[in-house]
Coordinates of all heavy atoms in Angstrom, one line a residue:
M1 N -33.5 67.1 -28.7 CA -34.9 67.1 -29.2 C -35.8 66.3 -28.3 O -35.5 65.3 -27.9 CB -34.9 66.5 -30.7 CG -36.2 66.6 -31.4 SD -36.2 65.8 -33.1 CE -34.7 66.5 -33.8
K2 N -37.0 67.0 -28.0 CA -38.0 66.3 -27.2 C -38.5 65.0 -27.9 O -38.6 64.9 -29.1 CB -39.1 67.2 -26.9 CG -38.7 68.4 -26.1 CD -40.0 69.3 -25.9 CE -39.6 70.6 -25.2 NZ -40.7 71.5 -25.1
K3 N -39.1 64.2 -27.0 CA -39.6 62.9 -27.6 C -40.8 63.1 -28.6 O -40.9 62.5 -29.6 CB -40.1 62.0 -26.4 CG -40.7 60.7 -26.9 CD -41.0 59.8 -25.7 CE -41.6 58.5 -26.3 NZ -42.0 57.6 -25.2
E4 N -41.7 64.1 -28.3 CA -42.8 64.4 -29.2 C -42.4 64.9 -30.5 O -42.8 64.6 -31.6 CB -43.7 65.5 -28.5 CG -44.4 65.1 -27.2 CD -43.4 65.3 -26.0 OE1 -42.6 66.1 -26.1 OE2 -43.7 64.7 -25.0
E5 N -41.3 65.8 -30.5 CA -40.7 66.4 -31.7 C -40.1 65.2 -32.5 O -40.2 65.1 -33.7 CB -39.6 67.4 -31.4 CG -40.2 68.7 -30.8 CD -39.1 69.6 -30.4 OE1 -37.9 69.2 -30.3 OE2 -39.4 70.8 -30.1
L6 N -39.4 64.3 -31.9 CA -38.7 63.2 -32.5 C -39.8 62.3 -33.2 O -39.6 61.9 -34.3 CB -37.9 62.3 -31.6 CG -37.0 61.3 -32.1 CD1 -36.1 61.8 -33.2 CD2 -36.3 60.5 -31.1
N7 N -40.9 62.1 -32.5 CA -42.0 61.3 -33.1 C -42.5 61.9 -34.4 O -42.8 61.3 -35.4 CB -43.1 61.0 -32.1 CG -42.7 60.1 -31.0 OD1 -41.8 59.3 -31.2 ND2 -43.5 60.2 -29.9
I8 N -42.7 63.3 -34.3 CA -43.2 64.0 -35.5 C -42.2 63.9 -36.6 O -42.6 63.7 -37.8 CB -43.5 65.4 -35.2 CG1 -44.7 65.5 -34.3 CG2 -43.8 66.3 -36.4 CD1 -45.0 66.9 -33.6
V9 N -41.0 64.1 -36.4 CA -39.9 64.0 -37.4 C -39.9 62.6 -38.0 O -39.9 62.4 -39.2 CB -38.6 64.4 -36.8 CG1 -37.5 64.1 -37.9 CG2 -38.6 65.8 -36.5
N10 N -40.0 61.6 -37.2 CA -39.9 60.1 -37.6 C -41.2 59.9 -38.5 O -41.1 59.2 -39.5 CB -39.9 59.2 -36.5 CG -38.5 59.2 -35.9 OD1 -37.5 59.6 -36.4 ND2 -38.5 58.8 -34.7
F11 N -42.4 60.4 -38.1 CA -43.6 60.1 -38.8 C -43.6 60.8 -40.1 O -44.0 60.3 -41.2 CB -44.8 60.5 -37.9 CG -46.1 60.3 -38.6 CD1 -46.6 59.0 -38.7 CD2 -46.9 61.3 -39.0 CE1 -47.8 58.8 -39.4 CE2 -48.1 61.1 -39.6 CZ -48.6 59.9 -39.8
T12 N -43.3 62.2 -40.2 CA -43.5 63.0 -41.3 C -42.2 63.0 -42.1 O -42.3 63.3 -43.4 CB -43.9 64.4 -41.0 OG1 -42.8 65.0 -40.2 CG2 -45.2 64.4 -40.2
G13 N -41.1 62.8 -41.6 CA -39.8 62.9 -42.3 C -39.5 64.4 -42.5 O -38.6 64.7 -43.2
Y14 N -40.1 65.3 -41.7 CA -39.9 66.7 -41.8 C -39.6 67.3 -40.5 O -40.3 67.0 -39.5 CB -41.2 67.3 -42.4 CG -41.1 68.8 -42.6 CD1 -40.4 69.3 -43.6 CD2 -41.7 69.6 -41.7 CE1 -40.3 70.8 -43.7 CE2 -41.7 71.0 -41.9 CZ -40.9 71.5 -42.9 OH -40.8 72.9 -43.0
R15 N -38.6 68.1 -40.4 CA -38.4 68.9 -39.3 C -38.5 70.4 -39.6 O -38.1 70.9 -40.6 CB -37.0 68.7 -38.8 CG -36.6 69.5 -37.6 CD -35.3 69.0 -37.0 NE -34.7 70.0 -36.0 CZ -35.1 70.1 -34.8 NH1 -36.0 69.4 -34.3 NH2 -34.6 71.1 -34.0
G16 N -39.3 71.1 -38.8 CA -39.6 72.5 -39.0 C -38.3 73.3 -39.1 O -37.2 73.0 -38.7
E17 N -38.5 74.6 -39.6 CA -37.4 75.5 -39.8 C -37.5 76.7 -39.0 O -36.9 77.8 -39.2 CB -37.3 75.8 -41.3 CG -37.2 74.7 -42.2 CD -37.4 75.0 -43.7 OE1 -37.6 76.2 -44.0 OE2 -37.4 74.2 -44.5
M18 N -38.3 76.7 -37.9 CA -38.6 77.8 -37.1 C -37.3 78.3 -36.4 O -36.6 77.4 -35.9 CB -39.6 77.7 -36.1 CG -41.0 77.3 -36.6 SD -41.8 78.7 -37.4 CE -42.1 79.8 -36.0
T19 N -36.9 79.6 -36.5 CA -35.8 80.0 -35.8 C -36.2 81.0 -34.6 O -35.3 81.3 -33.8 CB -34.9 80.9 -36.7 OG1 -35.6 81.9 -37.4 CG2 -34.3 80.0 -37.9
K20 N -37.4 81.3 -34.6 CA -37.9 82.2 -33.5 C -39.3 81.7 -33.1 O -40.1 81.3 -33.9 CB -38.0 83.6 -34.0 CG -38.3 84.7 -33.0 CD -38.1 86.0 -33.6 CE -38.2 87.2 -32.6 NZ -38.1 88.4 -33.1
N21 N -39.6 81.8 -31.8 CA -40.9 81.3 -31.3 C -41.9 82.3 -31.8 O -41.7 83.5 -31.8 CB -40.8 81.4 -29.7 CG -42.1 80.7 -29.1 OD1 -43.1 80.8 -29.6 ND2 -41.8 80.1 -27.9
V22 N -43.1 81.8 -32.2 CA -44.2 82.6 -32.7 C -44.6 83.6 -31.7 O -44.9 84.7 -32.0 CB -45.4 81.7 -33.1 CG1 -46.6 82.6 -33.6 CG2 -44.9 80.8 -34.2
S23 N -44.7 83.3 -30.4 CA -45.1 84.3 -29.4 C -44.1 85.4 -29.2 O -44.6 86.4 -28.6 CB -45.3 83.6 -28.1 OG -44.1 83.0 -27.6
E24 N -43.0 85.3 -29.8 CA -42.0 86.4 -29.6 C -41.8 87.3 -30.9 O -41.1 88.2 -31.0 CB -40.6 85.8 -29.3 CG -40.6 85.1 -28.0 CD -39.3 84.3 -27.9 OE1 -38.4 84.3 -28.8 OE2 -39.1 83.7 -26.8
M25 N -42.6 87.0 -31.9 CA -42.6 87.7 -33.2 C -43.3 88.9 -33.1 O -44.3 89.1 -32.5 CB -43.1 86.8 -34.3 CG -42.3 85.6 -34.7 SD -43.0 84.7 -36.1 CE -41.9 83.4 -36.3
T26 N -42.9 89.9 -34.0 CA -43.6 91.2 -34.2 C -44.7 91.0 -35.1 O -44.8 89.9 -35.8 CB -42.6 92.2 -34.7 OG1 -42.2 91.9 -36.0 CG2 -41.4 92.5 -33.8
H27 N -45.6 91.9 -35.3 CA -46.6 91.8 -36.3 C -46.1 91.6 -37.6 O -46.7 90.8 -38.4 CB -47.5 93.1 -36.1 CG -48.7 93.1 -37.1 ND1 -49.8 92.2 -36.9 CD2 -49.0 93.8 -38.2 CE1 -50.6 92.4 -37.8 NE2 -50.2 93.4 -38.7
I28 N -45.2 92.3 -37.9 CA -44.6 92.2 -39.4 C -44.0 90.8 -39.6 O -44.2 90.2 -40.6 CB -43.6 93.3 -39.6 CG1 -44.3 94.6 -39.7 CG2 -42.8 93.1 -41.0 CD1 -43.4 95.9 -39.7
E29 N -43.3 90.3 -38.6 CA -42.7 89.0 -38.7 C -43.9 87.9 -38.8 O -43.7 87.0 -39.6 CB -41.9 88.6 -37.5 CG -40.6 89.4 -37.4 CD -39.8 89.3 -36.2 OE1 -40.4 89.1 -35.0 OE2 -38.5 89.3 -36.2
L30 N -44.9 88.1 -38.1 CA -46.0 87.2 -38.1 C -46.7 87.1 -39.5 O -47.0 86.0 -40.1 CB -47.1 87.4 -37.1 CG -46.8 87.1 -35.7 CD1 -47.8 87.6 -34.7 CD2 -46.7 85.5 -35.5
L31 N -46.9 88.3 -40.2 CA -47.4 88.4 -41.4 C -46.5 87.7 -42.5 O -47.0 87.0 -43.4 CB -47.6 89.8 -41.9 CG -48.7 90.6 -41.1 CD1 -48.7 92.1 -41.5 CD2 -50.0 89.9 -41.3
E32 N -45.2 87.9 -42.4 CA -44.2 87.2 -43.4 C -44.2 85.7 -43.1 O -44.2 85.0 -44.1 CB -42.8 87.8 -43.1 CG -42.6 89.3 -43.6 CD -42.9 89.4 -45.1 OE1 -42.4 88.5 -45.8 OE2 -43.6 90.3 -45.5
W33 N -44.3 85.3 -41.8 CA -44.3 83.9 -41.5 C -45.5 83.2 -42.1 O -45.5 82.1 -42.7 CB -44.3 83.7 -40.0 CG -44.3 82.3 -39.6 CD1 -43.5 81.3 -39.7 CD2 -45.4 81.7 -38.8 NE1 -43.9 80.2 -39.1 CE2 -45.2 80.4 -38.6 CE3 -46.7 82.2 -38.4 CZ2 -46.0 79.5 -38.0 CZ3 -47.5 81.4 -37.7 CH2 -47.1 80.1 -37.5
E34 N -46.7 83.9 -42.0 CA -48.0 83.4 -42.5 C -47.9 83.2 -44.0 O -48.3 82.2 -44.6 CB -49.1 84.3 -42.1 CG -50.5 83.8 -42.5 CD -51.6 84.7 -42.2 OE1 -51.3 85.9 -41.9 OE2 -52.7 84.2 -42.2
K35 N -47.4 84.2 -44.7 CA -47.2 84.2 -46.1 C -46.3 83.0 -46.6 O -46.7 82.2 -47.5 CB -46.6 85.5 -46.7 CG -47.6 86.6 -46.8 CD -46.9 87.9 -47.2 CE -47.7 89.1 -47.0 NZ -46.9 90.3 -47.5
E36 N -45.2 82.8 -45.9 CA -44.3 81.7 -46.2 C -45.0 80.3 -45.9 O -44.8 79.4 -46.7 CB -43.0 81.9 -45.3 CG -42.0 80.8 -45.6 CD -41.4 80.9 -47.0 OE1 -41.6 81.9 -47.8 OE2 -40.8 79.8 -47.5
I37 N -45.7 80.2 -44.8 CA -46.3 78.9 -44.5 C -47.4 78.6 -45.5 O -47.5 77.5 -46.0 CB -47.0 79.0 -43.1 CG1 -45.9 79.1 -42.0 CG2 -47.9 77.9 -42.9 CD1 -45.0 77.8 -42.0
N38 N -48.2 79.6 -45.9 CA -49.2 79.4 -46.9 C -48.6 79.0 -48.3 O -49.1 78.1 -49.0 CB -50.1 80.7 -47.1 CG -51.0 80.9 -45.9 OD1 -51.3 79.9 -45.3 ND2 -51.4 82.2 -45.8
R39 N -47.4 79.6 -48.6 CA -46.8 79.3 -49.9 C -46.3 77.8 -49.8 O -46.5 77.0 -50.8 CB -45.6 80.2 -50.1 CG -44.9 80.0 -51.5 CD -43.6 80.7 -51.6 NE -42.6 80.2 -50.6 CZ -42.0 79.0 -50.7 NH1 -42.2 78.3 -51.6 NH2 -41.1 78.7 -49.7
K40 N -45.7 77.4 -48.7 CA -45.2 76.0 -48.5 C -46.4 75.0 -48.6 O -46.2 74.0 -49.2 CB -44.5 75.9 -47.2 CG -43.1 76.5 -47.2 CD -42.4 76.3 -46.0 CE -40.9 76.9 -46.0 NZ -40.3 76.6 -44.8
I41 N -47.5 75.3 -48.0 CA -48.6 74.4 -48.0 C -49.1 74.2 -49.4 O -49.3 73.2 -49.9 CB -49.7 74.9 -47.0 CG1 -49.3 74.8 -45.6 CG2 -51.0 74.2 -47.3 CD1 -50.2 75.5 -44.6
R42 N -49.3 75.3 -50.1 CA -49.7 75.3 -51.5 C -48.9 74.5 -52.3 O -49.3 73.6 -53.1 CB -49.9 76.8 -51.9 CG -50.4 76.8 -53.4 CD -50.3 78.3 -53.9 NE -51.3 79.1 -53.0 CZ -52.6 79.2 -53.3 NH1 -53.1 78.7 -54.3 NH2 -53.4 80.0 -52.5
T43 N -47.5 74.8 -52.2 CA -46.5 74.0 -53.0 C -46.6 72.6 -52.7 O -46.5 71.7 -53.7 CB -45.1 74.6 -52.8 OG1 -45.1 76.0 -53.1 CG2 -44.1 73.9 -53.6
N44 N -46.6 72.2 -51.5 CA -46.6 70.8 -51.1 C -47.8 70.0 -51.6 O -47.8 68.9 -52.0 CB -46.4 70.6 -49.6 CG -45.0 71.0 -49.1 OD1 -44.1 71.0 -49.9 ND2 -44.8 71.2 -47.9
L45 N -49.0 70.6 -51.4 CA -50.3 70.0 -51.8 C -50.3 69.8 -53.3 O -50.6 68.7 -53.8 CB -51.4 70.9 -51.4 CG -51.9 70.8 -50.0 CD1 -53.0 71.7 -49.7 CD2 -52.3 69.4 -49.5
F46 N -49.9 70.8 -54.1 CA -49.9 70.7 -55.6 C -48.9 69.7 -56.0 O -49.1 69.1 -57.0 CB -49.7 72.1 -56.2 CG -50.8 73.0 -56.0 CD1 -50.6 74.4 -56.2 CD2 -52.1 72.6 -55.6 CE1 -51.7 75.3 -56.0 CE2 -53.1 73.5 -55.4 CZ -52.9 74.8 -55.6
A47 N -47.8 69.5 -55.3 CA -46.7 68.6 -55.7 C -47.2 67.2 -55.6 O -46.7 66.3 -56.3 CB -45.5 68.8 -54.8
I48 N -48.2 66.9 -54.7 CA -48.7 65.6 -54.5 C -50.1 65.4 -55.2 O -50.8 64.5 -54.9 CB -48.7 65.0 -53.1 CG1 -49.6 66.0 -52.2 CG2 -47.4 65.0 -52.5 CD1 -49.8 65.5 -50.8
N49 N -50.4 66.4 -56.1 CA -51.6 66.4 -56.8 C -52.9 66.5 -56.0 O -53.9 65.9 -56.3 CB -51.7 65.1 -57.7 CG -52.0 65.5 -59.2 OD1 -52.1 66.6 -59.6 ND2 -52.3 64.5 -59.9
M50 N -52.8 67.2 -55.0 CA -54.0 67.5 -54.1 C -54.4 68.9 -54.2 O -53.6 69.8 -54.4 CB -53.6 67.2 -52.7 CG -53.2 65.7 -52.3 SD -54.6 64.6 -52.5 CE -55.6 65.1 -51.1
P51 N -55.7 69.1 -54.0 CA -56.2 70.6 -54.1 C -56.0 71.3 -52.8 O -55.9 70.6 -51.8 CB -57.7 70.4 -54.4 CG -58.1 69.1 -53.7 CD -56.9 68.3 -54.0
L52 N -55.9 72.6 -52.8 CA -56.0 73.4 -51.6 C -57.4 73.8 -51.3 O -58.0 74.4 -52.1 CB -55.1 74.7 -51.9 CG -55.1 75.7 -50.8 CD1 -54.4 75.1 -49.5 CD2 -54.4 77.0 -51.2
V53 N -57.9 73.2 -50.2 CA -59.2 73.5 -49.8 C -59.3 74.7 -48.8 O -58.6 74.6 -47.8 CB -59.9 72.2 -49.2 CG1 -61.3 72.6 -48.7 CG2 -59.9 71.1 -50.1
H54 N -60.1 75.7 -49.2 CA -60.2 76.9 -48.3 C -61.5 77.6 -48.5 O -62.3 77.1 -49.3 CB -59.0 77.9 -48.6 CG -58.9 78.3 -50.0 ND1 -59.5 79.4 -50.4 CD2 -58.3 77.8 -51.0 CE1 -59.2 79.7 -51.7 NE2 -58.5 78.6 -52.1
T55 N -61.8 78.6 -47.8 CA -63.1 79.4 -48.0 C -62.7 80.6 -48.9 O -61.7 81.2 -48.9 CB -63.6 79.9 -46.7 OG1 -62.6 80.7 -46.1 CG2 -64.0 78.7 -45.8
Y56 N -63.7 80.8 -49.8 CA -63.6 82.0 -50.7 C -65.1 82.5 -50.9 O -65.9 81.8 -51.4 CB -63.0 81.5 -52.0 CG -62.8 82.6 -53.1 CD1 -61.8 83.5 -52.9 CD2 -63.7 82.6 -54.2 CE1 -61.6 84.5 -53.9 CE2 -63.5 83.6 -55.1 CZ -62.5 84.6 -54.9 OH -62.3 85.5 -55.9
N57 N -65.2 83.8 -50.6 CA -66.5 84.5 -50.7 C -67.7 83.6 -50.0 O -68.8 83.5 -50.6 CB -66.9 84.6 -52.2 CG -66.1 85.8 -52.8 OD1 -65.5 86.6 -52.1 ND2 -66.0 85.8 -54.2
G58 N -67.3 83.1 -48.8 CA -68.3 82.4 -48.1 C -68.6 81.0 -48.6 O -69.5 80.3 -48.0
H59 N -67.9 80.4 -49.5 CA -68.0 79.1 -50.0 C -66.7 78.3 -49.7 O -65.6 78.8 -49.6 CB -68.2 79.1 -51.5 CG -69.4 79.7 -52.0 ND1 -70.7 79.1 -51.8 CD2 -69.6 80.9 -52.5 CE1 -71.6 79.9 -52.3 NE2 -71.0 81.1 -52.7
V60 N -66.9 77.0 -49.5 CA -65.7 76.1 -49.3 C -65.4 75.7 -50.7 O -66.2 75.1 -51.5 CB -66.0 74.9 -48.4 CG1 -64.8 74.0 -48.4 CG2 -66.4 75.3 -47.0
V61 N -64.1 76.0 -51.1 CA -63.7 75.7 -52.5 C -62.4 74.8 -52.5 O -61.7 74.8 -51.5 CB -63.4 77.0 -53.3 CG1 -64.7 77.8 -53.4 CG2 -62.2 77.8 -52.7
A62 N -62.2 74.1 -53.6 CA -61.0 73.4 -53.8 C -60.2 74.0 -55.0 O -60.8 74.1 -56.1 CB -61.3 71.9 -54.2
E63 N -59.1 74.6 -54.7 CA -58.2 75.2 -55.7 C -57.2 74.1 -56.3 O -56.4 73.5 -55.5 CB -57.6 76.4 -55.1 CG -56.7 77.2 -56.1 CD -56.1 78.4 -55.5 OE1 -56.5 78.8 -54.4 OE2 -55.1 78.9 -56.1
M64 N -57.2 74.0 -57.5 CA -56.3 73.1 -58.2 C -55.0 73.7 -58.6 O -54.9 75.0 -58.7 CB -56.9 72.5 -59.4 CG -58.3 71.9 -59.2 SD -58.3 70.6 -58.0 CE -60.0 70.3 -57.9
A65 N -54.0 73.0 -58.9 CA -52.6 73.5 -59.2 C -52.7 74.3 -60.6 O -51.9 75.3 -60.7 CB -51.7 72.4 -59.5
D66 N -53.7 74.1 -61.4 CA -53.8 74.8 -62.7 C -54.6 76.1 -62.5 O -54.7 76.9 -63.4 CB -54.4 74.0 -63.8 CG -55.8 73.6 -63.5 OD1 -56.4 73.9 -62.5 OD2 -56.4 72.9 -64.3
G67 N -55.0 76.4 -61.3 CA -55.7 77.6 -61.0 C -57.2 77.6 -61.0 O -57.9 78.5 -60.6
T68 N -57.8 76.4 -61.4 CA -59.2 76.3 -61.4 C -59.7 76.1 -60.0 O -59.0 75.6 -59.1 CB -59.7 75.1 -62.2 OG1 -59.1 73.9 -61.7 CG2 -59.2 75.2 -63.7
I69 N -60.9 76.7 -59.8 CA -61.6 76.7 -58.4 C -62.9 76.0 -58.6 O -63.7 76.4 -59.4 CB -61.6 78.1 -57.9 CG1 -60.3 78.6 -57.7 CG2 -62.4 78.0 -56.5 CD1 -60.3 80.1 -57.2
E70 N -63.1 75.0 -57.7 CA -64.4 74.3 -57.7 C -65.1 74.5 -56.4 O -64.4 74.3 -55.3 CB -64.1 72.8 -58.0 CG -65.3 71.8 -57.9 CD -65.0 70.4 -58.0 OE1 -63.9 70.1 -58.7 OE2 -65.7 69.6 -57.4
I71 N -66.4 74.9 -56.4 CA -67.1 75.1 -55.1 C -67.5 73.8 -54.6 O -68.1 73.0 -55.4 CB -68.3 76.0 -55.4 CG1 -67.9 77.4 -55.8 CG2 -69.2 76.1 -54.2 CD1 -69.0 78.4 -56.2
I72 N -67.1 73.5 -53.4 CA -67.5 72.3 -52.8 C -68.8 72.4 -52.0 O -69.7 71.6 -52.0 CB -66.4 71.8 -51.7 CG1 -65.1 71.5 -52.5 CG2 -66.8 70.6 -51.0 CD1 -63.9 71.2 -51.7
R73 N -68.9 73.5 -51.3 CA -70.1 73.8 -50.4 C -70.4 75.3 -50.5 O -69.6 76.1 -50.4 CB -69.8 73.4 -49.0 CG -70.7 72.3 -48.6 CD -70.7 72.0 -47.1 NE -69.5 71.5 -46.7 CZ -69.1 71.5 -45.4 NH1 -69.7 72.1 -44.5 NH2 -67.9 71.0 -45.1

């Protein structure tokens, strides 16, 4: 493991699960990877009681775990 990777693992307590380099993925693999990453981000944020902040219909919104959406900007 490279020094930079070790620092990230030590800081976050998390080591990635990538089995294939993103630059080598097919279009279908990239779409599946993106869906999985988005699901993990949503799950992790809601687990620590944080909203998922993203854009929706041209607005910046905060989506809560219960499904409510609040327009921020």
Side-chain angles (χ1 to χ4, degrees):
M1 187 179 311
K2 295 178 185 176
K3 184 178 179 181
E4 298 84 22
E5 291 173 347
L6 186 58
N7 288 340
I8 291 170
V9 171
N10 288 339
F11 179 72
T12 62
Y14 178 77
R15 177 169 164 82
E17 301 170 1
M18 297 289 291
T19 57
K20 190 173 189 180
N21 190 328
V22 176
S23 63
E24 298 170 356
M25 290 183 182
T26 65
H27 179 69
I28 293 172
E29 289 172 326
L30 282 170
L31 291 175
E32 290 299 316
W33 176 70
E34 181 181 19
K35 286 179 189 175
E36 182 65 19
I37 291 299
N38 288 336
R39 186 192 62 75
K40 286 182 179 183
I41 290 170
R42 179 182 299 272
T43 301
N44 290 339
L45 284 172
F46 293 162
I48 59 173
N49 226 11
M50 296 290 294
L52 174 64
V53 178
H54 58 94
T55 58
Y56 181 74
N57 288 340
H59 297 283
V60 177
V61 298
E63 183 178 342
M64 309 303 176
D66 64 2
T68 59
I69 297 177
E70 178 183 330
I71 297 175
I72 298 173
R73 246 191 288 160

